[in-house]
């Protein structure tokens, strides 16, 4: 399988090069040249596989150039039961009128572990093979950073620099990041919003000389390997939720950067019979895009679900490629418009198509608290504020039924303040959080400014 950029200037590159490039050199995002198609027989076969094996079967269809055994080993290291606090990896439970898929059993208690455990091992594998070093730079609204750090800590030939918006990530998220002692990990507490942090990271990647000299690599959801790892669990969750393989299941996805739901979109295009519901918070650029074709950037508003406090959803560009029928020119034009006018208008046939692809709904902070209470009242089960956005969408769209699975993207104990406001008590802390108590923390304060961050990276690597 070869990869190309959504903007059309990068073509015919290998899977490994796509992973190492992160953002394409023309500013676009990388996609596979074609999407593997699965028959009903494939699906039946997949439904009988354990997680690691399923991951192998899905991923190998997108990868050439890695020997079978090597790929299986990278996957096994990533999804070994030791990395998860349950042998089930992703339990699917009934709560209230719906089902919940718990994607938070990895080391940082958020779904991003599902992709970043894999990415860490994949980077290490590729770097070793090529005898190269890499400096990972990423922006985080909270969970990506800690998951990236836990994916990369202690890995050979890799350093990781993570920027997060100061005061806009939860205490626990910050503690998870800053308490990691490995010498290849650097946390940057930046003055600015998540979008400012992300713009800074993008600026560094667009500095091609710096990118080459320092071997910059990405871990945010623009990296294709992350999407790939996430495609796998749509299959896994579908098989756990469905009565008969072939029936349709609704999957509701708390959405920020559009990475998670885009993986679901690819799974559906491969032949998985799912309907996708896009759940947002008050930063509702994506629900406006689906409902009215209005993808226009507003100011980011802080909400109860900070990992979704995003306006420009970087992976939306990948979807635009398919929406525009595979026209890189149209994608490049739309992205240029987004840069100049701060908006993309989706009209006519395209508006019809996006509405066939997604159902969309957004939740206010009041909705989030109400859903946390509702699910607790019905089932004595505590959901986190991001998952609550999904549950809100399920109820608002009148899809609350056992055929609907809401993706639980974080453990509720990561957001104890919101849970306490909603329920009057704090959720019980799992071992992974208790352990952080009293550990020394280390992070570097600076502005979300490309030059300042660049100097910091250069001096850190000298030291
Ligand atoms: C990152 C994150 C999201 C948003 O996922 P995207 O792939 O960016 O859409 C939702 N919930 C939680 C808890 C997250 O960490």
């Amino acid at each position: 399988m070869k990869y190309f950029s959504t903007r059309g200037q990068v073509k015919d590159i290998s899977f490994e090069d796509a992973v190492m490039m992160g953002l394409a050199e023309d500013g676009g995002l990388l996609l596979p040249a074609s999407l593997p198609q699965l028959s009903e027989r494939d699906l039946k076969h997949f439904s009988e596989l354990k997680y690691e094996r399923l991951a192998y079967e899905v991923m190998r269809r997108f990868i050439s150039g890695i020997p079978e055994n090597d790929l299986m080993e990278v996957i096994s290291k990533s999804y070994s039961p030791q990395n998860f606090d349950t042998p089930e990896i992703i339990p699917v439970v009934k709560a209230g009128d719906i089902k919940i898929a718990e994607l938070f059993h990895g080391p940082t208690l958020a779904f991003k572990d599902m992709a970043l455990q894999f990415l860490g091992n994949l980077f290490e594998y590729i770097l070793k093979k090529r005898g190269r070093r890499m400096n990972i730079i990423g922006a985080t609204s909270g969970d990506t950073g800690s998951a990236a750090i836990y994916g990369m800590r202690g890995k050979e030939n890799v350093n990781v620099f993570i920027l997060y918006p100061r005061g806009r990530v939860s205490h626990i998220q910050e503690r998870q990041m800053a308490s990691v002692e490995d010498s290849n990990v650097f946390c940057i507490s930046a003055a600015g919003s998540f979008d400012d942090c992300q713009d800074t990271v993008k600026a560094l990647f667009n500095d091609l000389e710096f990118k080459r000299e320092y071997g910059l690599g990405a871990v945010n959801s623009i990296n294709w390997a992350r999407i790939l790892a996430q495609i796998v669990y749509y299959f896994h969750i579908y098989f756990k939720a469905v009565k008969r393989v072939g029936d349709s299941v609704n999957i509701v996805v708390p959405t920020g950067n559009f990475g998670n739901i885009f993986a679901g979109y690819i799974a559906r295009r491969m032949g998985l019979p799912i309907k996708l519901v896009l759940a947002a918070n008050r930063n509702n650029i994506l629900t406006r895009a689906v409902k009215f074709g209005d993808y226009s950037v507003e100011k980011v508003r802080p909400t109860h679900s900070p990992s979704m406090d995003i306006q420009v959803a970087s992976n939306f560009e990948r979807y635009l490629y398919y929406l525009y029928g595979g026209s890189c020119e149209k994608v490049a034009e739309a992205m240029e418009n987004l840069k100049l006018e701060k908006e993309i208008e989706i009209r006519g046939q395209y508006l019809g198509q996006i509405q066939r692809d997604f159902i969309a709904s957004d939740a206010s902070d009041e909705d989030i608290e109400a859903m946390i209470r509702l699910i607790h009242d019905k089932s004595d089960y505590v959901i986190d504020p991001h998952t609550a956005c999904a549950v809100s969408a399920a109820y608002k769209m009148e899809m609350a039924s056992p055929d609907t699975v809401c993706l639980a993207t974080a453990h509720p104990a990561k957001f104890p303040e919101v849970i306490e406001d909603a329920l009057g008590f704090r959720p019980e802390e799992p071992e992974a959080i208790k352990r952080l108590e009293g550990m020394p923390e280390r992070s570097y304060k600076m502005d979300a400014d490309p030059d300042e961050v660049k100097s910091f990276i250069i001096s850190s690597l000298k030291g």
Side-chain angles (χ1 to χ4, degrees), residues 148-362:
I149 288 168
Y150 275 76
M152 306 298 155
R153 65 186 296 185
K155 293 268 182 294
E156 278 174 51
N157 299 2
V158 185
N159 297 303
V160 51
F161 296 84
I162 296 292
L163 278 80
Y164 61 87
R166 191 179 313 155
R168 308 229 185 142
V169 301
S170 83
H171 279 311
I172 292 169
Q173 287 172 327
E174 183 163 17
R175 213 186 274 166
Q176 276 182 327
M177 291 188 272
S179 67
V180 171
E181 287 169 309
D182 300 69
S183 61
N184 69 335
V185 172
F186 300 87
C187 293
I188 297 172
S189 161
S193 68
F194 168 70
D195 283 350
D196 295 333
C197 291
Q198 185 153 268
D199 286 346
T200 300
V201 169
K202 279 198 173 173
L204 294 178
F205 274 97
N206 284 329
D207 183 342
L208 294 186
E209 207 182 295
F210 180 64
K211 181 180 171 180
R212 277 202 201 98
E213 193 177 335
Y214 283 83
L216 299 195
V219 288
N220 44 354
S221 50
I222 59 176
N223 196 301
W224 170 255
R226 276 188 61 180
I227 304 288
L228 180 59
Q230 297 184 146
I231 295 170
V232 175
Y233 59 67
Y234 281 87
F235 286 90
H236 180 80
I237 290 165
Y238 171 82
F239 295 132
K240 275 191 172 162
V242 82
K243 280 196 212 78
R244 202 182 53 89
V245 173
D247 289 353
S248 177
V249 170
N250 309 311
I251 302 192
V252 193
V253 189
T255 298
N257 244 325
F258 205 78
N260 197 358
I261 198 165
F262 181 73
Y265 173 76
I266 297 290
R268 205 189 64 209
R269 288 194 62 131
M270 291 169 74
L272 190 68
I274 52 175
K275 278 208 186 74
L276 290 166
V277 182
L278 186 157
N281 63 23
R282 271 300 174 241
N283 295 293
N284 61 358
I285 182 168
L286 288 164
T287 39
R288 281 185 282 114
V290 173
K291 286 184 184 163
F292 316 116
D294 167 29
Y295 188 85
S296 61
V297 182
E298 291 176 355
K299 252 179 92 95
V300 179
R301 288 194 267 174
T303 72
H304 280 351
S305 43
S307 297
M308 295 158 61
D309 290 349
I310 289 164
Q311 283 289 327
V312 181
S314 34
N315 273 292
F316 193 60
E317 177 167 352
R318 285 196 161 108
Y319 170 69
L320 285 178
Y321 170 81
Y322 295 104
L323 180 64
Y324 293 146
S327 164
C328 296
E329 292 84 58
K330 279 215 170 73
V331 176
E333 197 182 299
M335 295 315 289
E336 191 57 25
N337 217 59
L338 181 65
K339 200 161 127 195
L340 298 176
E341 314 285 341
K342 296 279 172 223
E343 71 174 332
I344 299 172
E345 275 182 72
I346 299 163
R347 286 201 221 110
Q349 65 177 108
Y350 301 123
L351 183 57
Q353 187 59 47
I354 195 173
Q355 291 174 345
R356 281 190 293 279
D357 288 335
F358 304 101
I359 298 158
S361 174
D362 48 78

Side-chain angles (χ1 to χ4, degrees), residues 88-105 236-238 240-241 249-252 254 371-372 374-376 379 381-384 386-392 394-395 401-412:
E88 274 199 82
I89 313 273
I90 304 169
V92 176
V93 301
K94 220 178 152 286
D97 309 293
I98 52 171
K99 291 195 174 101
I100 302 257
E102 297 181 346
L103 287 164
F104 53 71
H105 289 276
H236 180 80
I237 290 165
Y238 171 82
K240 275 191 172 162
V249 170
N250 309 311
I251 302 192
V252 193
M371 290 302 119
I372 293 171
L374 179 83
I375 295 296
H376 186 257
S379 305
Y381 182 88
V382 182
I383 54 174
D384 102 290
H386 304 81
T387 309
C389 293
V391 174
S392 166
Y395 278 94
S401 84
D403 296 329
T404 294
V405 184
C406 292
L407 300 189
T409 48
H411 191 290

